[in-house]
Amino acid sequence: MDFKAALKKNKVDLSAYASLYREFHQNPEISTLEHETSEKIAAHLKSLSSDLDIRTGIGGTGLISICKNGSGPTVLLRADMDGLPVHEDTGLEYASTKTMKDTQLDDAVKPVMHACGHDMHITCNLGAAETLLKVRDIWSGTIIFLFQPAEERGCGAQAMVDDGLFDPEKHACPIPDVLFGQHVFPLEPGCIVSKPGSFLAAADSLRITVFGQGGHGSMPHRCVDPVVLASSIVMKLQTIVSREIDPEEVVVVTVGSLKAGDTVNVIGDEAVLQVNIRSMSHETRTSALDAVKRIVKAECEAFKSPKEPVFETLNAFPPTLNDQETTDTIQKSFTEFFGDKHQRVSAALPGSEDFPDLATAVDKPYVFWGWSGSDEKVWAKHEKEGTLSELPPNHSHLFAPAIHPTLENGIHTMVVAALSFVGTT
């Protein structure tokens, strides 16, 4: 199929989508609370065509739009839509100044920012929907445009599945033959990156409470000090990667938070650690998690802790493992369309996604890729100065994708991926 010719004749109004992007960027919403965002998406889809079958309220604020266009394969294109509790400092004229009460987590009022580019993901998926509607005469099949809540908390995809996304008696989303997703990153300007197999890491976040026996700071022999216990655990956890994991595997174990005690001369009763584990395969993920729990329990026993430790899972992202055959097809299409801007990378990226939960729920192949949101002039300046590492990454309060060419490239990647798998007329 001649993608370039079809898309050249059927361009969307990029200025309109740039305005839509600014609107989403200026009005982010916290995970699970994306009500206005969901309503705006549904309204835009309705404005595109009355032929779209739009179903809302899936797993909370999630929604799908089904475009049936004759017989043929079914393709699902996914975008996530939640913001982050980050105060934006980009200085953009369309910067977010929004705050929200996080009624699903802690009832705290927080600043909100699209610090991970989900506003760009939404806009590109909507632009892909309009483009694919414009070229209906060259393809045959069904395309599903899915907009997912709560990716940042690792629960949105599963929430949609658990709410009956694919249940024929509930939301009745057609079972896709393949699923596609993408993410904007601060990469070399204009580039699109993909690879088969491990593309993004699994991420597991745990809250671990260990117990001591409190008392006076002058009499530690009559206490079980949870601070010393927790400190010993932190140091022992560092041996997981260095002594238990194959050096060819990528695993990261980080203790991001340790809280214990309230005053200087009192030994407290407990300590709370928050631990994040990143891994690239199901096997290493299991090994690392088992090691964390084994070490914590052993240290508690060694310190004569009066109670068993408590493990709470805060979030759990699966590894993103792109299907080999499907990725081969995508890579061929991307290279034909984008030329040398498409890069076949060899190393997985350390970020995490819950997108695979949509595919594993129906045991179907999927591909997830990344594309650049970098401004050419800004990149060139930092490259010349040797300061590319200073470019704001995802989740930074300074993260701000360049609207162009990020927008058009993100639309085209989704369209090219879909057209690579639907039938032809």
Side-chain angles (χ1 to χ4, degrees), residues 191-253:
C191 79
I192 294 92
V193 296
S194 66
K195 72 180 293 291
S198 179
F199 186 73
L200 294 175
D204 295 276
S205 297
L206 305 175
R207 181 188 291 121
I208 304 170
T209 304
V210 296
F211 300 95
Q213 182 174 307
H216 200 285
S218 67
M219 295 180 281
H221 60 292
R222 299 184 63 177
C223 306
V224 175
D225 192 336
V227 174
V228 180
L229 167 57
S231 299
S232 181
I233 289 171
V234 171
M235 297 308 297
K236 290 291 194 306
L237 292 180
Q238 308 313 304
T239 67
I240 294 174
V241 175
S242 65
R243 289 296 176 267
E244 296 195 36
I245 303 297
D246 186 327
E248 293 187 357
E249 295 286 344
V250 177
V251 174
V252 178
V253 178

Side-chain angles (χ1 to χ4, degrees), residues 53-118:
D53 181 357
I54 302 167
R55 303 173 190 180
T56 61
I58 308 173
T61 58
L63 69 153
I64 58 173
S65 177
I66 304 166
C67 181
K68 293 185 177 180
N69 190 39
S71 61
T74 298
V75 175
L76 186 148
L77 304 178
R78 173 268 202 175
D80 41 12
M81 57 185 184
D82 50 329
L84 282 160
V86 173
H87 182 274
E88 181 165 355
D89 291 315
T90 61
L92 294 168
E93 62 179 1
Y94 53 90
S96 169
T97 58
K98 191 169 183 178
T99 60
M100 286 186 72
K101 186 175 183 179
D102 193 345
T103 57
Q104 293 298 309
L105 190 62
D106 54 15
D107 274 340
V109 175
K110 304 171 182 178
V112 196
M113 174 189 177
H114 267 302
C116 202
H118 295 186

Side-chain angles (χ1 to χ4, degrees), residues 23-41:
E23 185 177 343
F24 283 125
H25 185 88
Q26 203 164 24
N27 295 281
E29 294 180 291
I30 289 175
S31 303
T32 74
L33 302 176
E34 311 92 341
H35 299 287
E36 291 182 9
T37 303
S38 183
E39 290 173 3
K40 289 176 186 175
I41 292 168

Side-chain angles (χ1 to χ4, degrees), residues 189-190 373-385 388 391 402 404-405:
S374 300
D375 179 89
E376 290 188 7
K377 292 182 179 179
V378 173
W379 181 278
K381 176 179 179 293
H382 281 274
E383 189 172 38
K384 182 178 180 180
E385 296 172 353
L388 285 176
L391 286 171
H404 302 290

